[in-house]
Amino acid sequence: MKAMGVDDVQAALDRLRLDIEIITFDRSTATSQQAADNVGCELGQIVKSLGYMINKRRPALVLTSGDQTIDDRKLAALYSLGRKKVRMMNAEQCLAILGYLPGAVPPICHRSDNIDLYLDETLKRFEIVYAAGGAANAIFPLRLDLLREATGASFADVVKA
C-alpha cells in the first residue's frame, strides 16, 4: 500500500482554505525534538499525531504536545475500557488506516474517515503549534483554534501527570 504524502496534505489544507503552506526541511522532522530544532520553537509546540487501536477495531488519533506522553489508562477511560484494550498502531496499521508512516502522520487528510480524534489539553498552552505535513521532513504551523476546527477533535486529558 502506497503512503499518502505532502501533496495530499497540502491539497487538504487548501480545500479547508487555511492559507497554510507546508514547510519541508533537508533534515528529518520525524521526532518532536527534530521538528522543534528545525523550526526553532518550544518542544511542546510540536503536535505529535499518535495512532491507537481501541479494542482492536476502533482507530483513534491523539494529537498531543511534543513534550508529553500519552497515558493509556486515560485514553482507555474515554471508552470505558481497561488500558490493555488500547494499543498503539503499528506501522502497517498507520499506513492502512491513517495513510502515512509513523513520523509523518498529519492531523488531517487520512485514508479512513472513521477515526476518533482527540486533542491533548496541554496544547492549550500555545497559540501556534506545528504539525506533521505528510512526510518525515515536512511540517506546517497553525493556530491551535484552527487545528481544533480543521480536525473536529475533542480536547481531552490523555497525558501522564
Side-chain angles (χ1 to χ4, degrees):
M1 182 173 292
K2 186 177 186 293
M4 297 168 71
V6 174
D7 291 342
D8 298 298
V9 181
Q10 186 64 61
L13 291 168
D14 293 345
R15 278 192 303 277
L16 291 168
R17 300 176 196 261
L18 294 178
D19 195 29
I20 294 171
E21 293 293 324
I22 295 174
I23 305 162
T24 57
F25 294 89
D26 293 333
R27 296 179 313 235
S28 177
T29 58
T31 70
S32 296
Q33 189 63 62
Q34 290 170 331
D37 290 347
N38 277 302
V39 172
C41 69
E42 290 182 46
L43 181 60
Q45 286 180 272
I46 301 300
V47 177
K48 296 189 288 191
S49 299
L50 303 174
Y52 287 86
M53 294 304 295
I54 311 300
N55 214 12
K56 295 184 181 178
R57 61 185 178 274
R58 181 90 186 147
L61 186 65
V62 179
L63 308 174
T64 188
S65 181
D67 62 359
Q68 300 296 312
T69 303
I70 298 299
D71 186 334
D72 294 350
R73 285 182 175 91
K74 288 182 177 180
L75 182 57
L78 296 175
Y79 295 89
S80 300
L81 297 169
R83 77 168 191 57
K84 291 186 178 187
K85 298 290 185 179
V86 172
R87 295 275 184 237
M88 272 201 94
M89 287 183 185
N90 60 36
E92 184 178 293
Q93 290 168 321
C94 272
L95 187 57
I97 297 166
L98 301 174
Y100 307 86
L101 293 172
V105 177
I108 61 168
C109 187
H110 304 115
R111 185 164 275 143
S112 173
D113 291 329
N114 195 22
I115 302 168
D116 296 338
L117 285 148
Y118 297 100
L119 276 164
D120 161 21
E121 292 272 353
T122 70
L123 284 167
K124 290 181 177 178
R125 298 173 286 165
F126 306 102
E127 182 181 347
I128 303 294
V129 295
Y130 298 84
N137 68 336
I139 56 178
F140 61 92
L142 76 165
R143 291 191 336 255
L144 182 60
D145 63 325
L146 287 179
L147 177 61
R148 159 70 192 92
E149 187 178 314
T151 61
S154 302
F155 278 102
D157 175 10
V158 291
V159 299
K160 291 184 179 176

